[in-house]
Amino acid sequence: MRKAVNENPLVQAAIIGVLALLVGVMLLLRMGGSSDSAETAATDPAAATASDPAAATATDPAAASPAGAASADPASGAASSGSSAPAPVPGAETTAFKAGPGLPKEVADAYDQGKAVVLLVVDKDGIDDQELEVMVDELRSHPDAAVFVTEVDDASRYSRITEGVDLDRTPALVVVQPKSLTDGPMPTAVVSYGFRGAGSVRQALKDALYKGPQDLPYYPK
C-alpha cells in the first residue's frame, strides 16, 4: 500500500482530495454550530442570562434599575423617589446672623442693635496694616458703628463674615450694612483691600450708612 501511494500519482491525488473534503466538512460543521448558538442567545433571554450574567442588565428591566432609584412618573413627567426634598424650616432665615461659631456674640449684638459692623483684618507684621488700624480705630467714636480688629491668624473667629466676602488678602476692611438698611434676611457687606487714607475709611462707613435713593441720575460735567 505504501509503495502504491509513493509510486502512483493517481492514488496520491485521491488521498489529497479526501483530506480536503474532510477539512471542508469540519469547517462547515463548526460554522453551523456557532450560528445556532448565536440564534439561541438572541431568541432565548434565559439562555443568554445563563451564559453571561451581565446580559441580564439589558434584558431584565428590574435588574437595570437599582433598588431605591427614582422612577419616572408618567402623569407628571418628573422623577419621583421614596424621600421628599428638604423643606425650608420656618424662621430659619431670621437666625442666619446669630452668634455662634464664626460669629462672636458682640458682633451679632451690634448688628441686632442696628449698627454698621466694621471689621478690619490685618497682618501683625505689615506696616501699612498698622497704620490702617489707627485710622479705623477713629471710627469707634461713631454712634452707628461697631469696630472690630483681628489679626489674620485669628480671622476664623469671624469666618461667617470673611467667607461671605471671599476674603483673600490683608489688610482688608469689611463693612457690614446695618440691619435696618439690608434687603432680605441676610446681611450685606463690602470689602476693600490695601492701604487707604482716613478719608477713604470714613467714606466706607458713610456708604454703608447711606439711607437715600440708590438710583440718582448722573449729570456729567
Side-chain angles (χ1 to χ4, degrees):
M1 180 67 180
R2 180 179 300 176
K3 182 178 180 181
V5 172
N6 293 334
E7 296 178 355
N8 193 334
L10 294 178
V11 175
Q12 294 176 357
I15 294 175
I16 293 174
V18 172
L19 291 175
L21 181 62
L22 290 176
V23 172
V25 172
M26 293 178 62
L27 290 175
L28 290 175
L29 290 176
R30 180 173 300 179
M31 293 176 62
S34 300
S35 300
D36 293 341
S37 300
E39 292 177 0
T40 302
T43 58
D44 188 355
T49 304
S51 61
D52 185 3
T57 303
T59 59
D60 187 359
S65 299
S71 59
D73 184 357
S76 62
S80 60
S81 61
S83 59
S84 59
V89 179
E93 64 277 4
T94 62
T95 62
F97 208 65
K98 297 298 180 182
L103 188 67
K105 185 177 184 302
E106 56 269 25
V107 177
D109 290 345
Y111 181 76
D112 288 337
Q113 293 168 7
K115 295 184 177 182
V117 175
V118 180
L119 174 64
L120 177 64
V121 183
V122 297
D123 183 348
K124 62 181 179 180
D125 297 326
I127 298 177
D128 290 345
D129 300 46
Q130 297 173 8
E131 295 181 4
L132 183 57
E133 182 177 352
V134 173
M135 299 177 188
V136 172
D137 279 338
E138 296 178 359
L139 299 180
R140 296 183 186 275
S141 59
H142 198 290
D144 296 325
V147 178
F148 302 90
V149 179
T150 182
E151 294 183 358
V152 66
D153 294 338
D154 297 326
S156 59
R157 295 186 61 237
Y158 303 88
S159 61
R160 298 271 294 281
I161 297 176
T162 58
E163 291 178 2
V165 296
D166 293 331
L167 185 77
D168 59 8
R169 57 188 182 275
T170 61
L173 178 64
V174 185
V175 182
V176 182
Q177 196 174 33
K179 187 176 183 179
S180 60
L181 302 179
T182 301
D183 294 331
M186 295 298 294
T188 57
V190 176
V191 59
S192 302
Y193 295 102
F195 180 78
R196 60 195 57 254
S200 179
V201 171
R202 290 193 296 269
Q203 185 63 45
L205 176 60
K206 184 177 180 180
D207 292 343
L209 296 173
Y210 177 69
K211 300 179 182 180
Q214 301 294 330
D215 55 350
L216 294 177
Y218 172 68
Y219 299 101
K221 296 181 179 179

